[in-house]
Amino acid sequence: MDEIKRIDRVQDYNEYIGVDTLHPLVSVIKFNEIPAVISYKMYLGIYAVFLKNIKCGNMTYGCQPYDYEDGTLVFVSPGQVYGIDSKGVSVKPSGYALVFHPDLIKGTSLGKNIKEYSFFSYETNEALHLSKKERKTIVDCLEKIAEEIEQNIDKHSKTLIVSNIELFLNYCMRFYDRQFITRSNENKDILMRFENLLDDYFKSGKAEQMGLPSVSWCAEQLFLSPNYFGDLIKKVTGNTALDYIQCKLIDEAKERIFDHSKTINDIAAGLGFKYQQHFTRLFKQKVGVTPNDYRTMN
């Protein structure tokens, strides 16, 4: 697993797996048609989505291990490292892979909106877990893409292939939304830990030392990717993670404003602001009055 294979083209992936290349920019691989695998690790310069129907060893993504479950979808974007470690045991995989080059979607609506599919930047342990009904929908989409790839390339090919990939990704977005909702207990636990994290950050003096807490920093402390964390908080609370942090900060500011022994500048510095005017601007934006006016009113 130490050697990393570089995969920059769809053809590179097809050759590595052992299947024919029917289209230079996109491929759907049916894993039951390829030989058994043991271990591999690759740097991907292409987009890839993996659906596997059986347990296939411990997967790594970056440096993080993930114990693969049945029927999950994992999304990998260009520039990421992906691999499988089957602990030396030969495994016959089952499922699908969809791989496509960024050039396929350039100049299309999908190309313009690909960043909206934030799950391409999730960690592998944030994979999409499918119900049987959802899995059937996903497989139908993949089969449709494969069917179009197998046609002779004509002037309609790119439009139809990209449209079907976009439909596939939109279903994935819907199923992720469902996953955020159905995992309510886990989500509540994360929200509680987020709340406690912010309480500790402001009460312990970390804000004064380290500055304002960022969404990325909070996600890292909660062992989540920034995109997954941001999407989860948005689904659970209706607000962005940044809004949540700022509301917490304003609540803390309101408490400190009642301490007349501290100047507004002291309060701003204690909350992690480098400049008092930035604190004043945010406070007025959220509360409707300046910190000084709020202190006077109360």
Side-chain angles (χ1 to χ4, degrees):
M1 284 287 285
D2 290 333
E3 183 182 351
I4 298 179
K5 172 76 173 175
R6 190 177 179 99
I7 303 291
D8 287 313
R9 303 175 301 163
V10 168
Q11 184 177 343
D12 295 337
Y13 185 81
N14 289 341
E15 289 175 355
Y16 190 76
I17 293 296
V19 299
D20 294 334
T21 298
L22 303 179
H23 191 294
L25 297 178
V26 59
S27 183
V28 173
I29 295 93
K30 300 174 184 178
F31 285 122
N32 61 349
E33 297 176 0
I34 68 171
V37 298
I38 296 180
S39 296
Y40 61 81
K41 195 171 187 179
M42 55 183 68
Y43 168 91
L44 291 176
I46 55 178
Y47 289 96
V49 184
F50 300 98
L51 169 64
K52 295 190 178 179
N53 297 325
I54 61 170
K55 192 172 179 66
C56 192
N58 293 329
M59 188 168 65
T60 60
Y61 183 88
C63 299
Q64 297 299 317
Y66 174 59
D67 193 24
Y68 219 76
E69 293 186 14
D70 297 353
T72 56
L73 272 175
V74 173
F75 303 82
V76 185
S77 60
Q80 295 173 329
V81 175
Y82 167 84
I84 293 288
D85 183 4
S86 60
K87 304 297 183 185
V89 178
S90 180
V91 175
K92 185 72 173 77
S94 170
Y96 293 80
L98 166 65
V99 295
F100 59 95
H101 195 279
D103 285 353
L104 177 72
I105 61 175
K106 285 201 186 305
T108 68
S109 63
L110 178 58
K112 294 172 186 173
N113 297 318
I114 191 69
K115 297 296 184 187
E116 300 298 315
Y117 300 100
S118 51
F119 43 69
F120 275 110
S121 295
Y122 290 175
E123 293 293 337
T124 313
N125 59 353
E126 299 158 346
L128 176 57
H129 303 268
L130 299 170
S131 68
K132 287 184 179 179
K133 186 176 180 182
E134 290 169 347
R135 190 186 306 182
K136 182 181 184 306
T137 299
I138 289 301
V139 170
D140 287 346
C141 287
L142 292 171
E143 291 283 4
K144 187 65 179 174
I145 297 166
E147 181 184 321
E148 193 55 48
I149 292 170
E150 289 165 7
Q151 301 288 330
N152 291 328
I153 297 178
D154 59 30
K155 64 180 183 179
H156 303 289
S157 297
K158 177 175 177 176
T159 299
L160 290 169
I161 291 170
V162 173
S163 294
N164 278 289
I165 292 175
E166 191 166 20
L167 177 64
F168 165 77
L169 294 176
N170 285 336
Y171 273 118
C172 293
M173 187 78 84
R174 167 187 275 182
F175 299 153
Y176 253 119
D177 284 351
R178 184 272 311 154
Q179 180 166 299
F180 284 128
I181 293 167
T182 55
R183 292 184 163 191
S184 57
N185 288 337
E186 291 179 33
N187 296 344
K188 286 176 185 174
D189 176 62
I190 290 170
L191 191 58
M192 187 177 299
R193 286 161 52 207
F194 184 28
E195 180 89 10
N196 292 338
L197 179 70
L198 293 176
D199 280 338
D200 175 71
Y201 195 86
F202 291 119
K203 302 291 186 191
S204 66
K206 288 179 183 174
E208 191 165 10
Q209 300 167 16
M210 300 168 57
L212 296 171
S214 67
V215 173
S216 294
W217 182 86
C218 292
E220 183 182 348
Q221 303 309 303
L222 298 171
F223 305 102
L224 297 170
S225 68
N227 276 5
Y228 186 89
F229 174 64
D231 289 346
L232 185 149
I233 296 300
K234 178 73 172 175
K235 291 291 181 289
V236 173
T237 69
N239 294 316
T240 67
L242 179 60
D243 284 337
Y244 196 91
I245 291 170
Q246 289 179 342
C247 286
K248 191 72 180 174
L249 184 150
I250 294 300
D251 285 343
E252 183 66 25
K254 286 178 177 178
E255 285 187 24
R256 299 188 185 195
I257 284 172
F258 288 116
D259 183 354
H260 289 266
S261 66
K262 293 182 178 177
T263 66
I264 300 301
N265 190 58
D266 292 336
I267 293 167
L271 292 170
F273 287 88
K274 193 172 181 180
Y275 302 106
Q276 180 190 322
Q277 57 266 39
H278 293 170
F279 166 62
T280 299
R281 187 184 307 128
L282 178 64
F283 192 93
K284 186 172 183 180
Q285 177 189 331
K286 296 292 184 181
V287 182
V289 295
T290 67
N292 267 321
D293 289 341
Y294 186 83
R295 173 175 273 177
T296 304
M297 291 163 54
N298 292 277

